[in-house]
Amino acid sequence: MKRSIFALIALIAAVAVACEKPVAPSEPNNNSPLTLTSEATINVPSEGGNFTITYDLQADESETAWAVVDNTEVVTAMNYESRGYVRIHVSENTTLTSRKATVLVSYKTYCFNVEVIQEPKVQGSTLQTVEADTLIGSYDDTSIAGMGRYWVILTDGGIVNGNTVRNSEFFRLDILAPLSQDPHNARVPDGKYTLDASNSFNINTIINVGDTDYVLVDGNNEAWSSSFTYAELEVVGNKFTLTAEVQNDELRTTTEYYVTFEGNYSLTYNEVADHVSTLDSDYEIDLANCAGTLTCFGDYWKCGFCNWQIEFVCDDGLKQGTYLVLDFLTDDVLSGASGIAGTYTSTGFSAEDETKPDFKAYTFVPGFSISDDNQFIMGSVVIEYANGEGVDQAPIFDGTMTITDNGGDNYTIVIDAKDDANPAHKVTLNWTGRLF
């Protein structure tokens, strides 16, 4: 058996040298009688299965192509006796790494390759039942117009005397629901709430941002958070029932949780600041000892315009100095081929929903908070760090930002903007240098 496998591999190598350029459906070769008519890559799930390669052969009706594979652990069976078809069977992948195989289909000196790529094994889900004995949370009615924001934490013995307990679990949920009639005695309204992965900020949903996650406090009292891939919460009076799924990408494990809580609880009314900025005077951005990177995210905001980000981080990371993010849109060339040179004004916010930027071409996304405590900010923002802590922050909220492309990855950035305080403070920058 080993000898025949080695012979097949050797044959592939020999034919590959002799045969002509592979023919794909998008690049027909009129000189070749053999043409691939299916996809040149077959993506296979970890469980494997049966798949078909199709081709067109301009030859005598009695003739057919033949096929060989270079990895018989992946493709364990193959049938190419029927003209126009090569049928393969891919075995189950029981490893935690992806696998590949190449099927070579040939007729005389003509051939093409089809690559088989199989996903790694995903470890099965396990179900954990948690009877939470504690519910803590807060409520605010100012951060998102027309809706109440209910932040709830469920835990089973995870807090004692106001401190977290080692080896404990927390389920944090940021819920959008109808406004409370009594903000200082708010209750989560009865109903079902589902995780909104796209963050459309619809009522009766769970927002998929930094305040929604699963947190494990380990034996060293260090907290590790994982995002939910699915979550549904049902509230009936004082009873909360959460069904959630947490995926550990590193271990490739998925855990399903069934969490219940029933009992009296209270929510703290959150007095939310009406601005993100902590400045008390005008601010000139200092990018000394900072390095800047430029990234194109395509249509990240799903608005039809290309989204770019410029990020500056000081040499010692987020410990001392300036951290600056510029989030801006160019035009409808979503590949970013048109470049970033231009003058940008603030998008502002939609008249229909004051929590959503009013996206337009050649605008920058102003910094805005997506959490009650202003710790999670999206858009364009500058933060000043000292001893590893943010001591001042300001959203680049209004004004202009001009970017000049000097060639050779060298750019000039001029910012003449304001923060979101009332009265507003100036936020300025005049910088020239390289973006990596």
Side-chain angles (χ1 to χ4, degrees):
M1 178 63 69
K2 289 184 179 178
R3 178 176 298 178
S4 63
I5 291 175
F6 289 141
L8 292 178
I9 294 174
L11 186 56
I12 288 178
V15 174
V17 172
C19 69
E20 297 187 352
K21 178 180 180 291
V23 179
S26 59
E27 46 175 316
N29 182 349
N30 295 329
N31 296 323
S32 174
L34 180 66
T35 306
L36 172 66
T37 57
S38 56
E39 296 297 326
T41 301
I42 300 175
N43 295 303
V44 179
S46 59
E47 59 266 25
N50 297 314
F51 302 88
T52 301
I53 301 168
T54 63
Y55 63 87
D56 181 64
L57 179 60
Q58 301 297 320
D60 189 273
E61 290 294 331
S62 62
E63 296 186 287
T64 185
W66 63 271
V68 68
V69 65
D70 67 346
N71 191 339
T72 55
E73 291 184 1
V74 176
V75 177
T76 55
M78 186 162 53
N79 186 323
Y80 50 86
E81 294 180 0
S82 298
R83 182 186 175 97
Y85 300 92
V86 176
R87 293 180 172 87
I88 63 173
H89 176 76
V90 180
S91 64
E92 180 183 3
N93 187 358
T94 59
T95 73
L96 295 179
T97 58
S98 61
R99 306 193 301 178
K100 292 184 179 181
T102 300
V103 178
L104 181 139
V105 180
S106 66
Y107 170 75
K108 296 183 178 180
T109 61
Y110 303 96
C111 68
F112 58 76
N113 292 326
V114 174
E115 190 171 32
V116 178
I117 302 176
Q118 187 176 25
E119 296 177 352
K121 171 187 177 181
V122 177
Q123 295 183 2
S125 299
T126 58
L127 178 64
Q128 299 284 342
T129 299
V130 178
E131 293 185 10
D133 59 9
T134 302
L135 186 156
I136 60 175
S138 62
Y139 168 78
D140 88 73
D141 52 10
T142 59
S143 61
I144 298 179
M147 288 183 281
R149 197 164 182 179
Y150 303 78
W151 190 44
V152 169
I153 302 176
L154 300 173
T155 183
D156 176 19
I159 299 177
V160 174
N161 297 327
N163 298 314
T164 58
V165 177
R166 298 173 189 271
N167 299 312
S168 57
E169 297 176 302
F170 299 84
F171 301 86
R172 310 197 309 169
L173 306 167
D174 198 343
I175 303 164
L176 296 183
L179 292 166
S180 172
Q181 298 300 314
D182 185 358
H184 293 276
N185 294 284
R187 314 284 293 172
V188 180
D190 288 359
K192 287 188 177 181
Y193 305 91
T194 56
L195 180 69
D196 180 9
S198 61
N199 283 332
S200 55
F201 291 87
N202 292 325
I203 198 165
N204 296 333
T205 60
I206 302 169
I207 308 174
N208 188 34
V209 293
D211 292 342
T212 291
D213 54 18
Y214 164 82
V215 177
L216 172 67
V217 177
D218 65 15
N220 297 319
N221 214 24
E222 294 184 6
W224 302 84
S225 66
S226 299
S227 299
F228 295 122
T229 54
Y230 169 83
E232 181 177 278
L233 175 70
E234 183 176 12
V235 179
V236 180
N238 285 347
K239 183 175 182 180
F240 289 67
T241 303
L242 171 68
T243 304
E245 183 180 82
V246 177
Q247 182 170 315
N248 187 318
D249 292 331
E250 183 176 354
L251 298 178
R252 296 193 61 79
T253 59
T254 300
T255 304
E256 294 180 1
Y257 287 92
Y258 182 76
V259 185
T260 58
F261 168 84
E262 188 168 10
N264 294 324
Y265 70 93
S266 61
L267 301 177
T268 302
Y269 181 52
N270 239 342
E271 299 287 351
V272 181
D274 60 358
H275 57 84
V276 174
S277 177
T278 60
L279 298 181
D280 55 12
S281 62
D282 293 345
Y283 182 84
E284 184 175 0
I285 301 172
D286 180 9
L287 295 180
N289 302 317
C290 290
T293 58
L294 173 67
T295 306
C296 175
F297 287 98
D299 192 8
Y300 174 85
W301 292 98
K302 306 300 181 186
C303 62
F305 303 115
C306 187
N307 177 227
W308 294 80
Q309 178 180 285
I310 296 175
E311 181 180 45
F312 286 93
V313 180
C314 283
D315 295 344
D316 56 1
L318 303 181
K319 293 183 179 180
Q320 307 284 346
T322 304
Y323 175 68
L324 171 66
V325 175
L326 303 176
D327 191 332
F328 56 100
L329 307 169
T330 52
D331 50 25
D332 58 3
V333 182
L334 301 183
S335 66
S338 56
I340 62 171
T343 296
Y344 301 80
T345 57
S346 172
T347 64
F349 291 88
S350 169
E352 292 76 20
D353 186 347
E354 62 184 35
T355 67
K356 292 183 179 180
D358 188 14
F359 302 112
K360 296 182 179 67
Y362 289 94
T363 57
F364 65 84
V365 179
F368 64 100
S369 175
I370 58 173
S371 66
D372 297 340
D373 54 10
N374 289 336
Q375 290 187 6
F376 296 95
I377 305 172
M378 297 188 75
S380 304
V381 65
V382 58
I383 304 176
E384 191 74 25
Y385 281 88
N387 300 319
E389 295 185 0
V391 293
D392 270 318
Q393 66 182 26
I396 299 171
F397 200 75
D398 195 11
T400 61
M401 177 178 75
T402 301
I403 302 176
T404 304
D405 186 348
N406 303 317
D409 297 327
N410 185 278
Y411 296 87
T412 297
I413 302 174
V414 176
I415 296 175
D416 184 8
K418 297 178 181 179
D419 66 2
D420 66 339
N422 187 16
H425 306 102
K426 285 187 176 182
V427 180
T428 56
L429 172 70
N430 193 331
W431 173 89
T432 297
R434 187 180 180 189
L435 294 177
F436 297 91

